[in-house]
Amino acid sequence: MSSQIMRNIRMHQLKIAAALLCALTAGQVAAQATPAKPAAAAAKPSSGFLPPASASANVIDSIAVVVNDEVITRNEISARVRAVEGAMKSQNAPVPEAADLQRQVIERMIVERAQMQLAKEMGVRVDDTMLDRAIGRIAEQQKLSVQEMRNQMEKSGTTFAAFREEIRSEIMMQRLREHEVDNKIQISDAEVDTYLAAEKAAAADKVEMNLAQIMVRIPENASPEQIAARRARADDVMRQLRTGGDFAKIAATYSDSSDALKGGEIGWRAADRLPPLFSDALGKLKPGQVTPVLKSTTGFHILKMVDKRNLADASAPAAVQQTRARHILLKVSPTMTAADAKRKLTELKERLDNKAAKFEELARLFSNDGSASKGGDLGWLYPGDTVPEFETVMATLKPGELSDVIETPYGFHLIEVMERKSDDQNKERVRMAARQVIRDRKLEEATEDWARQVRDRAYVEFRDENK
């Protein structure tokens, strides 16, 4: 594997795999429901019904929501509610009342359906080759072959075909967000300069905060009456919190944010990664306290300071150790089991220990990685450029020393450290890190705003159960 691929392990491939694993967890039960065929037009609601087996049979599904020219059926909603409820219970998360949970799930399904429609309109496609690779990565993350994962899935009642389409949809929506949001984020040199100056000034008293939020969304182009109604809802939420209500349960019940069903959990954030509106209000809080109702362009927010911690002063570039290494990677596949890979690498190690072969020659012949053509050379690596399993072993080796066979999420490796050097992180590397922080902050805000716009522009019609 090339050094660039190694650097992107967590930032790209695992990010995709993590998102797809979430889809597997949340989508398996949902996939069991009979998928509704899209309505040819909103004027034909009857297409959302399954034809009865006989004239006396009862209707077994019906339309719950129309989203533009497609429908969401009650069976789909029931299946998704069961999946979400099961996931929340397995994580010991507080589950809201049934009606509130269903409302949250329906809203999430509307947003997903509207985004998927937009992806199709824009010509976003995921071919079978790309889909097969993504599913292969999911199996690797679970340390299974694709066939083993398929067998487990079908034992639980989920068809592999339905699972494939769930993953295809996830990839399409991710590519749509990349096109509509990610690729439009721009960061100027002036923004980087401002950020670095603020970092230096705040380094002496820098903290990181573990946050949760409740957000009451304001629709796009909302009228004063709509804004007043949303404010009243936020104030009601605040009253419940002040009288001892559980924040996580209230978030799961009332919040319009995408993290609602996780109890509003945002996670650890440094103040510089938050809008000033939030960081200013949070700076006055102790762990366990909540902010007053805060109004932004997207809605009304209540933030909870779950915890906070001090960070070491990292404003000055530090001397870091770089390692130049090479490896031979054997991946587990239908034609090579884990036992076969370990056995083969053990044989190669014996040949290297006995000086019967050269490392670069064996890498070119046997390594299943892009670095094979370079004799397995990964170039100069900084800490964090490789997965932890690889880096931990590499750090214990002396220059010229060969590792035992090790396993990482990518397969089995032999590692050789070629040389090491200490290098002061140059200014460009520090600026790159600053640019990434600014990008993350902008991306989070832009994604939330974009999702709101897609939802508000969609035609949504809720159908009565008796229709």
Side-chain angles (χ1 to χ4, degrees), residues 226-344:
Q226 287 177 305
I227 295 174
R230 305 305 277 180
R231 174 72 200 216
R233 182 179 178 184
D235 289 339
D236 180 59
V237 168
M238 179 58 79
R239 280 192 292 272
Q240 294 185 48
L241 292 172
R242 285 174 176 165
T243 55
D246 181 79
F247 191 97
K249 186 170 184 178
I250 293 174
T253 301
Y254 293 102
S255 181
D256 296 322
S257 178
S258 59
D259 50 37
L261 294 178
K262 296 189 296 181
E265 178 186 339
I266 297 176
W268 288 97
R269 294 287 189 276
D272 53 42
R273 293 189 61 188
L274 298 171
L277 172 69
F278 293 171
S279 58
D280 291 346
L282 288 164
K284 307 169 186 176
L285 301 185
K286 297 178 181 179
Q289 294 182 329
V290 298
T291 66
V293 176
L294 307 172
K295 183 178 182 295
S296 73
T297 56
T298 58
F300 296 99
H301 308 258
I302 302 170
L303 300 176
K304 179 179 180 179
M305 174 78 75
V306 179
D307 199 3
K308 65 166 55 175
R309 61 192 180 194
N310 291 319
L311 298 178
D313 181 2
S315 60
V320 295
Q321 181 173 258
Q322 288 181 279
T323 302
R324 186 181 175 202
R326 56 187 178 183
H327 77 150
I328 299 171
L329 167 66
L330 295 185
K331 296 181 179 179
V332 176
S333 68
T335 59
M336 178 170 287
T337 66
D340 290 338
K342 287 189 284 188
R343 183 167 53 253
K344 183 62 178 177

Side-chain angles (χ1 to χ4, degrees), residues 134-424:
I135 291 174
R137 287 195 293 270
I138 295 174
E140 284 182 12
Q141 289 303 304
Q142 299 183 74
K143 299 186 182 300
L144 297 172
S145 68
V146 172
Q147 187 59 50
E148 288 170 338
M149 184 175 69
R150 178 174 185 164
N151 293 343
Q152 288 186 7
M153 197 177 302
E154 292 179 345
K155 283 181 182 178
S156 70
T158 301
T159 66
F160 192 66
F163 167 72
R164 282 176 61 86
E165 293 312 306
E166 286 284 338
I167 302 309
R168 193 191 302 272
S169 297
E170 282 293 320
I171 299 173
M172 286 179 65
M173 286 196 287
Q174 181 182 5
R175 293 182 66 184
L176 174 67
R177 287 190 291 267
E178 288 173 354
H179 180 271
E180 291 292 287
V181 183
D182 297 28
N183 294 339
K184 296 179 181 179
I185 300 294
Q186 295 185 346
I187 302 157
S188 68
D189 288 339
E191 287 178 289
V192 175
D193 293 339
T194 301
Y195 169 82
L196 290 175
E199 279 285 282
K200 185 175 181 180
D205 188 28
K206 191 173 182 181
V207 297
E208 196 173 40
M209 298 169 285
N210 188 9
L211 304 175
Q213 75 162 333
I214 296 171
M215 190 266 278
V216 178
R217 184 172 61 87
I218 298 175
E220 189 175 19
N221 300 319
S223 66
E225 292 77 13
Q226 287 177 305
I227 295 174
R230 305 305 277 180
R231 174 72 200 216
R233 182 179 178 184
D235 289 339
D236 180 59
V237 168
M238 179 58 79
R239 280 192 292 272
Q240 294 185 48
L241 292 172
R242 285 174 176 165
T243 55
D246 181 79
F247 191 97
K249 186 170 184 178
I250 293 174
T253 301
Y254 293 102
S255 181
D256 296 322
S257 178
S258 59
D259 50 37
L261 294 178
K262 296 189 296 181
E265 178 186 339
I266 297 176
W268 288 97
R269 294 287 189 276
D272 53 42
R273 293 189 61 188
L274 298 171
L277 172 69
F278 293 171
S279 58
D280 291 346
L282 288 164
K284 307 169 186 176
L285 301 185
K286 297 178 181 179
Q289 294 182 329
V290 298
T291 66
V293 176
L294 307 172
K295 183 178 182 295
S296 73
T297 56
T298 58
F300 296 99
H301 308 258
I302 302 170
L303 300 176
K304 179 179 180 179
M305 174 78 75
V306 179
D307 199 3
K308 65 166 55 175
R309 61 192 180 194
N310 291 319
L311 298 178
D313 181 2
S315 60
V320 295
Q321 181 173 258
Q322 288 181 279
T323 302
R324 186 181 175 202
R326 56 187 178 183
H327 77 150
I328 299 171
L329 167 66
L330 295 185
K331 296 181 179 179
V332 176
S333 68
T335 59
M336 178 170 287
T337 66
D340 290 338
K342 287 189 284 188
R343 183 167 53 253
K344 183 62 178 177
L345 285 174
T346 300
E347 293 174 0
L348 297 182
K349 185 176 188 303
E350 290 178 359
R351 293 176 63 184
L352 292 170
D353 288 340
N354 295 326
K355 310 297 183 183
K358 294 182 178 180
F359 193 102
E360 59 269 26
E361 293 173 351
L362 297 182
R364 291 190 183 98
L365 287 172
F366 298 104
S367 187
N368 304 141
D369 183 58
S371 65
S373 62
K374 296 182 290 185
D377 192 348
L378 298 170
W380 286 101
L381 302 172
Y382 280 94
D385 281 349
T386 64
V387 289
E389 298 91 339
F390 191 101
E391 184 168 311
T392 298
V393 173
M394 182 177 69
T396 66
L397 300 176
K398 299 175 181 177
E401 188 175 2
L402 189 66
S403 73
D404 292 326
V405 177
I406 70 157
E407 182 180 6
T408 76
Y410 293 91
F412 294 87
H413 310 248
L414 280 179
I415 307 170
E416 183 182 41
V417 168
M418 303 168 71
E419 54 183 319
R420 284 198 173 93
K421 66 179 181 180
S422 291
D423 182 36
D424 289 340

